[in-house]
Amino acid sequence: MFGGPDSHLARLVDEAGLETKSIPGNRMGLAVNGKVVASGAPETYPLRLPLSPAARLSFIKSGLKLRWAAQGFQRAARRQIGESASAARARELAYRENETFADYLGVMHPEVEAIFRAIAERITAEPHEITAGCGAGLFAVVWDSNLTLARNLIGGSALLPLTLARHLGSRIVTGAAVEEVVPEPTGARIRVRVAGRVRDVSAKYVIAATPAYVTHRIVRGLPADTADALARIPYGPFVCGAVLTGESGPMPWDDVYAIATPGKAFNMLFNHANVLRGSGPREPGGSLMVYGGGDLGRRLLQMTDGQIQEAFLRDLSTILPEVKDVVREVIVHRWEHAIPYIAPGRHRLQPALERSLGNVLLAGDYLGFPEMEVAAVTGLEAARTARGGLAPVEGAQSRVLERVQP
């Protein structure tokens, strides 16, 4: 999801001439025991889902605890006046970091435990692997419409990097695998492999906007604590299925954005086209996406694409029966190391990651609560630092960087 008007990501989208729209309707439905509940207040779900009395009571107790923690996360996530972005990231990471999400929720009815597991695996980890604060953050988006994560990009998320690449033109070199980054007294040397040939490139600054484990592998000469911190950022797997649909008119899921699906071949179901289903004629076709993360993702990685596609479509049709007649294409994609998650003790790594590393600058979603806004902000911070150390270039323009606050 993309940020609202006050987010750095939104400003970048505006600079690129693209458009985001608020996600309408409910952002988190549930499919449990054959029934889909995807409307109304989430607090009513325990009363509306087909659960046993024991499971219903367990869900209510756990939901109340989670609501309390989510409200605390919302307060921790809001940047204070005059506060640096790095200080805000550190506070957010430290929120309820001394216990796991599973420990915080406590013993639950198995049906309820499966619900929370499915949603936790949205961040590629199990409830016992993430902090209570991380788990609360996953639900804060559902309850707080004022948080930045509330919009989708018209045309799909991939449109942003494609548009930025087009604007940058020949300054972007693709197909160039970086083998190492070696800091030097006046800059850094980058060894790259292009079309099978190795060459060295010199730079005054290097912005390492790569996953933590890649940065750890390619950047030489890092301080020991920074190298150790990068190596200790955990990543979990995702197996995704993109489903192209060819319906000619309205469908029952048009006003649904996301559904958690415990006990299915995937954890979550998304209807990314729902931002287009407002007033006016309903355009034909659509796009659904499902994925399995965490332990489920690891099991899916052992299957063939054909087996995954079959399992995804089978369970998708049990949740949205009308989808069977409109599926036109399914694409399966695998990520063994998809996104980082916040494990207990993560906040203690932050000083080593935020410290000055000279002419090598770190950027990425792993530097805070893992989402695109953190990637955008840390990238802009790094660019601002690099630009401040370079001689002015005649004719250079950068409107976005002027808005970055240190």
Side-chain angles (χ1 to χ4, degrees):
M1 289 184 283
F2 283 72
D6 295 332
S7 69
H8 290 289
L9 195 61
R11 295 167 185 168
L12 187 60
V13 168
D14 289 342
E15 292 286 349
L18 302 175
E19 179 188 7
T20 63
K21 285 189 176 181
S22 295
I23 296 170
N26 197 301
R27 298 180 203 154
M28 180 64 73
L30 283 175
V32 177
N33 295 332
K35 181 176 181 179
V36 176
V37 176
S39 63
E43 293 87 346
T44 67
Y45 287 3
L47 304 178
R48 298 162 60 197
L49 289 168
L51 299 170
S52 67
R56 200 180 307 279
L57 180 60
S58 176
F59 200 180
I60 291 171
K61 288 181 177 179
S62 298
L64 289 172
K65 292 186 68 175
L66 186 56
R67 182 63 185 268
W68 177 264
Q71 290 174 340
F73 180 88
Q74 290 162 3
R75 292 190 293 270
R78 292 193 176 97
R79 188 170 169 183
Q80 307 302 313
I81 296 175
E83 183 182 42
S84 69
S86 61
R89 289 193 293 269
R91 184 182 64 253
E92 192 174 71
L93 288 168
Y95 177 69
R96 290 192 177 274
E97 70 82 36
N98 60 346
E99 61 181 335
T100 69
F101 189 40
D103 288 340
Y104 175 73
L105 292 176
V107 178
M108 295 177 286
H109 187 279
E111 287 182 302
V112 178
E113 184 180 9
I115 292 171
F116 286 111
R117 184 186 310 114
I119 298 174
E121 288 176 337
R122 182 176 184 174
I123 201 169
T124 73
E126 300 301 308
H128 68 272
E129 294 177 314
I130 61 176
T131 65
C134 181
L138 293 173
F139 288 85
V141 178
V142 178
W143 275 309
D144 189 355
S145 60
N146 293 319
L147 283 182
T148 61
L149 298 177
R151 305 174 71 86
N152 267 351
L153 184 67
I154 303 303
S157 300
L159 192 59
L160 178 58
L162 290 173
T163 302
L164 294 176
R166 186 174 68 251
H167 286 183
L168 291 169
S170 60
R171 286 176 287 176
I172 291 289
V173 178
T174 58
V178 176
E179 296 188 348
E180 65 176 6
V181 176
V182 181
E184 295 181 340
T186 58
R189 173 177 56 81
I190 306 103
R191 175 156 292 179
V192 299
R193 183 177 296 273
V194 183
R197 299 181 62 183
V198 176
R199 57 177 296 193
D200 287 348
V201 179
S202 295
K204 181 67 180 295
Y205 287 95
V206 173
I207 299 176
T210 46
Y213 60 91
V214 174
T215 303
H216 176 265
R217 186 179 74 239
I218 65 175
V219 179
R220 308 288 184 249
L222 289 170
D225 59 343
T226 302
D228 178 66
L230 289 167
R232 291 173 60 188
I233 300 293
Y235 284 71
F238 261 161
V239 176
C240 300
V243 183
L244 180 68
T245 59
E247 66 271 20
S248 58
M251 300 301 286
W253 57 81
D254 281 351
D255 61 347
V256 174
Y257 174 67
I259 301 174
T261 57
K264 300 299 183 183
F266 43 84
N267 309 123
M268 296 291 302
L269 160 63
F270 287 91
N271 173 24
H272 289 142
N274 90 315
V275 295
L276 304 175
R277 311 308 186 199
S279 58
R282 203 276 194 191
E283 297 293 329
S287 176
L288 302 173
M289 191 268 280
V290 298
Y291 64 68
D295 285 349
L296 175 57
R298 293 182 183 91
R299 294 194 295 271
L300 290 168
L301 285 173
Q302 307 305 313
M303 300 165 61
T304 67
D305 284 2
Q307 291 171 330
I308 294 170
Q309 177 176 325
E310 180 181 0
F312 279 176
L313 289 179
R314 180 194 65 232
D315 283 357
L316 181 59
S317 65
T318 66
I319 299 169
L320 307 176
E322 297 85 356
V323 82
K324 290 186 293 185
D325 298 325
V326 297
V327 172
R328 297 293 179 265
E329 183 181 10
V330 179
I331 297 176
V332 173
H333 204 108
R334 308 156 177 264
W335 287 275
E336 186 176 354
H337 304 287
I339 59 174
Y341 58 86
I342 303 172
R346 164 66 182 84
H347 84 288
R348 289 190 287 273
L349 305 177
Q350 198 67 4
L353 297 172
E354 296 273 10
R355 67 181 295 175
S356 173
L357 299 174
N359 291 36
V360 175
L361 308 167
L362 305 185
D365 58 358
Y366 66 88
L367 291 171
F369 189 89
E371 37 94 1
M372 289 191 294
E373 179 69 4
V374 171
V377 170
T378 55
L380 289 169
E381 288 173 343
R384 185 176 186 272
T385 299
R387 193 182 69 170
L390 296 173
V393 178
E394 185 177 353
Q397 296 181 354
S398 180
R399 289 170 290 172
V400 173
L401 292 184
E402 296 294 343
R403 302 174 181 174
V404 179
Q405 299 177 3

